[in-house]
Amino acid sequence: GEDPFLAGRMGAAAVKGFQGSDPAQQGRIAACCKHYVGYGAAEGGRDYESVEISENTLRNTYLPPFKSCVDAGALMSAFHENNGTPVTANHHLLTDILKNEFGFSGFIISDWDAVAQLVHQRVAKDGKDAAALAINAGVDMDMLSLCYIKNLEQLVAEGRVSESVIDNAVLRILTVKFRLGLFE
């Protein structure tokens, strides 16, 4: 099998290659490490299939490469279900481990339309419910589905999403943009 620590060193080198020591320098870009986490373990090797990964295997095989890349500007959450919960709605993986335990300070972007896909994965009843699940799990930016744009204001007004969750997501996104020099 693959050596997760070698994969981590390669990932960290790629992040450094893209971002350099100062990602605001000419010719540098923010790295987006993907797909966090377990995407390569899909049943039957099929895209978007479910994954069953024990906590031990998760921590000793799948997490080390991502831990090596936590200085990256962005990270893309995986689309698949991990142990019955889509990663896009998995607070344990996104917030408990990645943000709190590993100290990831960049932002987490969803996979392509993954927030809306929470409805098709039968964990959300509609786009509004999907937005609440994803933002509360730790997905800071919704790619494509518009679930955040259409629903977050109302979800905050209803108390289903706290302002501090929105503030944290915005802070993470703006911090990466500042690091890139986009406001200069």
Side-chain angles (χ1 to χ4, degrees), residues 80-139:
H80 68 278
E81 293 178 10
N82 188 354
N83 298 331
T85 302
V87 177
T88 306
N90 195 316
H91 188 273
H92 176 64
L93 293 176
L94 300 176
T95 297
D96 295 341
I97 294 176
L98 185 62
K99 291 180 177 180
N100 295 339
E101 185 179 327
F102 289 177
F104 179 66
S105 63
F107 67 89
I108 299 172
I109 187 169
S110 73
D111 200 344
W112 185 263
D113 202 36
V115 175
Q117 290 299 320
L118 291 173
V119 176
H120 301 290
Q121 290 171 305
R122 298 174 191 228
V123 296
K125 64 181 177 184
D126 55 24
K128 183 177 176 184
D129 194 36
L133 286 170
I135 193 80
N136 285 325
V139 176

Side-chain angles (χ1 to χ4, degrees), residues 1-15 33-34 60-69:
E2 295 177 17
D3 178 348
F5 298 100
L6 175 59
R9 288 193 301 274
M10 291 171 60
V15 168
C33 301
K34 59 184 202 174
N60 289 304
T61 302
Y62 292 96
L63 287 174
F66 286 99
K67 185 162 183 358
S68 297
C69 298

Side-chain angles (χ1 to χ4, degrees), residues 49-68:
E49 282 296 327
S50 297
V51 172
E52 293 288 331
I53 300 174
S54 69
E55 190 75 11
N56 182 53
T57 301
L58 179 73
R59 290 189 174 275
N60 289 304
T61 302
Y62 292 96
L63 287 174
F66 286 99
K67 185 162 183 358
S68 297

Side-chain angles (χ1 to χ4, degrees), residues 128 131-133 135-136 151-166:
K128 183 177 176 184
L133 286 170
I135 193 80
N136 285 325
N151 298 294
L152 286 180
E153 184 176 0
Q154 186 176 5
L155 286 164
V156 169
E158 294 172 359
R160 291 181 60 195
V161 174
S162 73
E163 283 187 40
S164 65
V165 167
I166 302 296

